[in-house]
Amino acid sequence: MSRFGPTSELTVESLTDQLRNTMSYSEDNGINANKPDFRELDLGSPVSTLLTRPGGFTATSTSSSSSGSVSSRTAAGLSSNIPRISDSNYNSHSGELSGSSVESSPKPTRNFKPAHGRSYSTGTHPVIYSGGGSVNSPAVNVFPTGNICPSGRILKPATTVRSTKTDVLGSGTANYGHGSIMRSGAASKPAATTDCGPANYSRGGEPMRRRGVDNSSDPEEMKKTGNENYKKGNFSEALRLYDKAIAISPGNAAYHYNRSAALMGLRRLAEAVRECEEAIRLDPGYTRAHHRLGSLFINLGQVENARKHLCFPGHQPEPIELLRLQTVEKHLSRCTDSRSVGDWRCTLREVDAAIASGADASPQLCACRAEALLKLHQLNDAYLALSNIPELESHTTYPSQLKVFGMHPEAYLFFVQAQIELSMGKFEKALAAIEKAGQIDCLNVEVSVMLNNMTLVGRARTNGNDLFISERYTEACSAYGEGLRLDPANSVLYCNRAACWFKLGQWERSVDDCNLALSIRPNYAKALLRRAASNIKLEKWAEAVRDYEILRKELPNDNEVAESLFHAQVALKKSRGEEVYNMKFGGDVELVSGLDQFRAAISSSSASVVQFKASSNLQCKQISSFLNTLCARYPSVNFLKVDVEESPTIAHAENIKIIPTFKIYRKGNRVKEMICPSPEVLESSVRHYSI
């Protein structure tokens, strides 16, 4: 008795039914309860032809060399794309930015060989699967492989054909559970990642997410795109993408590390510091984050914090960064020593060296530079240095133990600002700044002394102003003097006291106080005006002209300064014995049409500038508008114009061949001739002969 029943009663139809019943899978929880032993079948024999599907495809089964499994392939060139789980290194920082970013691997599809496929039967028609259904679903009525004899018996081969390659459990696929059979004798990892999830696990142990068609919610894709934007210099766009990646996966240290790089590109260093600190909090052993944070602290001039991260235990610091740290530290130490003894020239030299060595983003060092310039009476440079201090971000915080010259770092910035604002005469701003410094570091001695002095200086200034308005000039001088005793570098108080001396008729003392104010602020307009006025009272015309000329450059549109300069120049000419007649201040460019009129106009002792022009010439029209500007700017000069087409006699007498031509005359004599001059050359000549 065979397992299929008595042979005498066997027919092909009964055999087919019995085979179908014997080979069918149990659907109890997907377990193949009645799966026969396929090793009894002839796996090396050709397959008999099965029924044809109406679509024109023929389902065929192939031989398998794997024992204990059903081999299936895709029929008629169809392929099945089966996603596979990546086996990347779980501890790698995928996509970090440090010279080069880690790119995600390409995503190839896994294609089965053509003309091979799994064959399933439903009813009497075979069904060909090409990856569209679940591979784990139990098949019904699976036909065995092998030859069926006409008698209905299945031939059992004498020997089973087996592959010479060993079968090894590979890394598996998403739908096959733990593993799949792989050839060549050893388990091998996939050559590239597929679209079943992130290519790599990043630091932070984020769970793997399956990628769908839309990758907009995949943090790895956002990181990758952010890296590409970073390489192109699109730091704002890279930052936006890293932010989105962090919003989805906040525990990923590499995302915070990359975000710090984008912030550095945008020069938002304080935020970059916090991102590196967050990456280190998530992964304390993150070497590259430590190194970047150390480098950032060098830029910010915080050498102790920099050393802690560049030389953290178990890791060798980078030699270049270590040398940079040591150089900055050396200059900072010398700067501190020089400042403590009031050697401001040495302080300025050392702070410049520290900035050049790498601490170029330190607000405190920039403030120290401004303070040194102020103490060296270079107020304009100090004010410029103050305006160039890197702005503190609103959320910038400093460790409580961090000090700059014994002062809280933020308090020092307000301390320097208060000194410079006070020297510029901006008492309200100065007082507000020193009060902020006192609120931040109330125990610092320098801040406390400055706050007290500034309060007294402000009080002395207010008192002196009130006395000056009351015309009590002597008492006002004493009040301003009290303020100068507390703040000897205050240019405003010197200038105010000079005004009091001028009212009292003590012009020499007025000039002296103006000189002191100008030694602190070289282009202090009020001090220049008061010194020039005092010099005119002292009949020092050359000194007065010099001050007014400086003021004309500073205030080119001030008509009062221009008129004062004109009268000072006239007085200077008279003092030198020069003839002065027919000189008037200001006026428009005068049109001259007759030869006698022309000769009378250029006979003045002051300079006369004549433009020879033609109304039809475009270049003449363009330069004529500039001549009007010069007429207002240099009122002591006579400006004339001659139209050569309307006055050919003058043009012939002056031998005019090219227009526009400019000639400068003094006392009837030509002293300068210019053919088609540029505006710059023309003004330079006018300025030279205006004195």
Side-chain angles (χ1 to χ4, degrees):
M1 178 77 65
S2 70
R3 60 186 296 183
F4 299 111
T7 58
S8 59
E9 299 177 3
L10 273 177
T11 64
V12 174
E13 291 77 6
S14 63
L15 176 60
T16 301
D17 294 336
Q18 291 180 32
L19 281 173
R20 182 181 296 111
N21 294 333
T22 303
M23 298 303 297
S24 63
Y25 290 172
S26 171
E27 297 182 2
D28 183 14
N29 297 324
I31 301 173
N32 301 337
N34 300 318
K35 185 176 181 181
D37 184 1
F38 278 85
R39 286 177 296 182
E40 295 182 359
L41 302 178
D42 182 3
L43 302 180
S45 304
V47 182
S48 58
T49 304
L50 298 179
L51 295 175
T52 302
R53 187 170 178 165
F57 294 102
T58 301
T60 60
S61 63
T62 63
S63 61
S64 172
S65 58
S66 303
S67 79
S69 68
V70 178
S71 175
S72 62
R73 305 291 182 218
T74 303
L78 298 177
S79 62
S80 174
N81 299 333
I82 302 177
R84 303 178 63 185
I85 296 176
S86 171
D87 59 345
S88 304
N89 182 7
Y90 289 1
N91 294 323
S92 66
H93 284 286
S94 174
E96 292 171 346
L97 290 173
S98 60
S100 62
S101 60
V102 178
E103 300 291 343
S104 299
S105 303
K107 303 170 183 177
T109 57
R110 180 182 176 186
N111 297 324
F112 291 104
K113 296 179 181 179
H116 294 270
R118 284 189 175 87
S119 299
Y120 298 92
S121 177
T122 304
T124 59
H125 296 283
V127 179
I128 301 174
Y129 277 78
S130 59
S134 173
V135 183
N136 290 330
S137 301
V140 181
N141 300 331
V142 177
F143 289 96
T145 59
N147 284 345
I148 302 179
C149 298
S151 61
R153 296 179 61 88
I154 297 178
L155 293 178
K156 186 174 183 180
T159 59
T160 302
V161 179
R162 300 186 61 84
S163 173
T164 58
K165 300 179 181 179
T166 58
D167 299 337
V168 181
L169 185 64
S171 58
T173 64
N175 295 329
Y176 279 96
H178 294 290
S180 60
I181 301 301
M182 302 182 68
R183 301 299 183 186
S184 76
S188 62
K189 294 180 180 181
T193 59
T194 61
D195 55 351
C196 64
N200 296 304
Y201 274 94
S202 299
R203 290 187 185 264
E206 288 300 309
M208 180 177 292
R209 282 175 290 274
R210 181 181 178 86
R211 292 181 187 168
V213 176
D214 183 9
N215 289 326
S216 61
S217 61
D218 183 0
E220 285 294 309
E221 285 297 324
M222 294 175 190
K223 174 204 65 185
K224 180 180 177 182
T225 308
N227 292 354
E228 293 170 356
N229 278 277
Y230 178 87
K231 291 177 182 178
K232 295 176 183 177
N234 301 330
F235 302 124
S236 296
E237 179 63 16
L239 181 63
R240 186 186 68 82
L241 290 163
Y242 295 144
D243 285 340
K244 293 180 69 176
I246 290 173
I248 298 172
S249 180
N252 191 304
Y255 297 166
H256 291 279
Y257 178 82
N258 284 12
R259 188 175 191 271
S260 71
L263 289 167
M264 289 174 68
L266 295 170
R267 299 300 294 171
R268 292 159 59 178
L269 301 190
E271 291 181 75
V273 166
R274 285 192 299 278
E275 288 302 315
C276 286
E277 290 174 339
E278 178 64 14
I280 292 172
R281 185 190 68 80
L282 294 170
D283 183 1
Y286 198 167
T287 306
R288 292 161 71 181
H290 277 287
H291 286 170
R292 176 171 290 171
L293 184 55
S295 180
L296 281 167
F297 278 133
I298 293 177
N299 291 128
L300 294 171
Q302 301 180 26
V303 292
E304 292 302 325
N305 288 334
R307 179 179 291 104
K308 181 176 71 173
H309 290 281
L310 289 177
C311 307
F312 73 103
H315 295 273
Q316 190 70 21
E318 295 181 6
I320 295 178
E321 290 299 311
L322 186 60
L323 177 62
R324 199 160 69 105
L325 171 64
Q326 293 170 347
T327 305
V328 170
E329 184 177 28
K330 176 185 68 176
H331 291 299
L332 283 179
S333 177
R334 292 176 180 175
C335 177
T336 303
D337 294 341
S338 300
R339 184 182 180 277
S340 64
V341 297
D343 187 350
W344 295 106
R345 293 193 181 278
C346 184
T347 300
L348 181 61
R349 183 172 60 252
E350 292 300 328
V351 76
D352 283 342
I355 292 172
S357 298
D360 54 349
S362 171
Q364 288 72 29
L365 288 181
C366 292
C368 180
R369 188 175 189 279
E371 183 183 26
L373 289 168
L374 175 66
K375 299 299 183 181
L376 293 171
H377 293 172
Q378 300 178 35
L379 182 57
N380 289 342
D381 292 336
Y383 192 75
L384 180 62
L386 179 68
S387 64
N388 290 333
I389 293 177
E391 291 186 9
L392 282 179
E393 298 167 36
S394 58
H395 38 268
T396 300
T397 57
Y398 294 96
S400 57
Q401 71 276 10
L402 182 63
K403 298 292 181 181
V404 175
F405 309 124
M407 199 179 304
H408 186 279
E410 190 174 2
Y412 178 67
L413 298 179
F414 288 114
F415 176 77
V416 174
Q417 180 187 354
Q419 295 180 71
I420 295 176
E421 297 286 12
L422 182 63
S423 296
M424 296 290 292
K426 301 176 181 179
F427 288 90
E428 291 75 15
K429 289 185 176 181
L431 187 59
I434 196 62
E435 286 176 348
K436 287 182 181 178
Q439 293 170 2
I440 296 170
D441 194 347
C442 59
L443 300 178
N444 185 268
V445 176
E446 282 190 87
V447 173
S448 300
V449 171
M450 175 64 69
L451 178 59
N452 183 60
N453 285 352
M454 199 163 291
T455 303
L456 295 176
V457 169
R459 190 177 302 164
R461 169 182 172 265
T462 302
N463 188 28
N465 291 349
D466 292 341
L467 291 168
F468 184 89
I469 293 172
S470 302
E471 299 183 358
R472 298 160 64 182
Y473 302 121
T474 303
E475 295 175 67
C477 283
S478 299
Y480 291 135
E482 181 62 24
L484 287 168
R485 185 183 64 80
L486 298 169
D487 183 17
N490 196 302
S491 59
V492 174
L493 295 181
Y494 281 121
C495 190
N496 287 2
R497 193 170 67 175
C500 294
W501 296 130
F502 185 88
K503 291 291 186 180
L504 293 170
Q506 300 186 34
W507 299 304
E508 293 88 352
R509 300 186 73 172
S510 176
V511 169
D512 290 341
D513 272 354
C514 286
N515 289 337
L516 289 171
L518 289 166
S519 68
I520 301 171
R521 295 173 64 183
N523 295 325
Y524 190 5
K526 284 186 177 181
L528 285 168
L529 280 170
R530 283 171 186 162
R531 187 171 70 177
S534 298
N535 280 322
I536 285 178
K537 292 291 185 180
L538 295 170
E539 297 185 353
K540 294 181 179 181
W541 311 113
E543 289 83 350
V545 168
R546 184 177 61 247
D547 285 342
Y548 282 129
E549 286 176 343
I550 295 173
L551 287 166
R552 284 291 287 159
K553 294 177 183 178
E554 296 292 326
L555 307 169
N557 299 319
D558 193 314
N559 196 55
E560 291 184 9
V561 172
E563 187 172 1
S564 297
L565 174 59
F566 172 76
H567 292 301
Q569 289 173 333
V570 171
L572 178 61
K573 292 176 185 294
K574 289 181 179 179
S575 68
R576 291 174 178 174
E578 299 179 12
E579 294 182 7
V580 178
Y581 62 93
N582 194 28
M583 292 188 67
K584 59 181 180 179
F585 172 74
D588 298 326
V589 179
E590 182 182 357
L591 177 63
V592 178
S593 56
L595 184 58
D596 293 338
Q597 181 189 6
F598 172 77
R599 288 175 177 171
I602 63 174
S603 63
S604 172
S605 59
S606 60
S608 298
V609 178
V610 183
Q611 178 194 15
F612 295 90
K613 70 183 195 66
S615 301
S616 59
N617 186 276
L618 178 61
Q619 191 174 0
C620 291
K621 292 180 180 179
Q622 292 173 343
I623 199 70
S624 293
S625 61
F626 183 67
L627 193 66
N628 294 329
T629 302
L630 294 179
C631 183
R633 191 173 294 174
Y634 299 93
S636 62
V637 177
N638 297 322
F639 289 91
L640 311 172
K641 57 185 177 182
V642 175
D643 192 320
V644 296
E645 295 174 344
E646 297 178 0
S647 306
T649 306
I650 300 176
H652 180 72
E654 294 299 315
N655 195 28
I656 302 301
K657 303 294 184 182
I658 302 174
I659 55 173
T661 294
F662 286 85
K663 291 186 179 184
I664 300 178
Y665 300 87
R666 178 169 285 174
K667 295 182 181 180
N669 298 317
R670 189 189 68 207
V671 295
K672 181 78 173 179
E673 180 175 353
M674 296 165 285
I675 298 175
C676 301
S678 66
E680 293 78 14
V681 171
L682 179 59
E683 183 172 9
S684 176
S685 299
V686 171
R687 185 187 308 115
H688 176 74
Y689 290 101
S690 64
I691 300 175

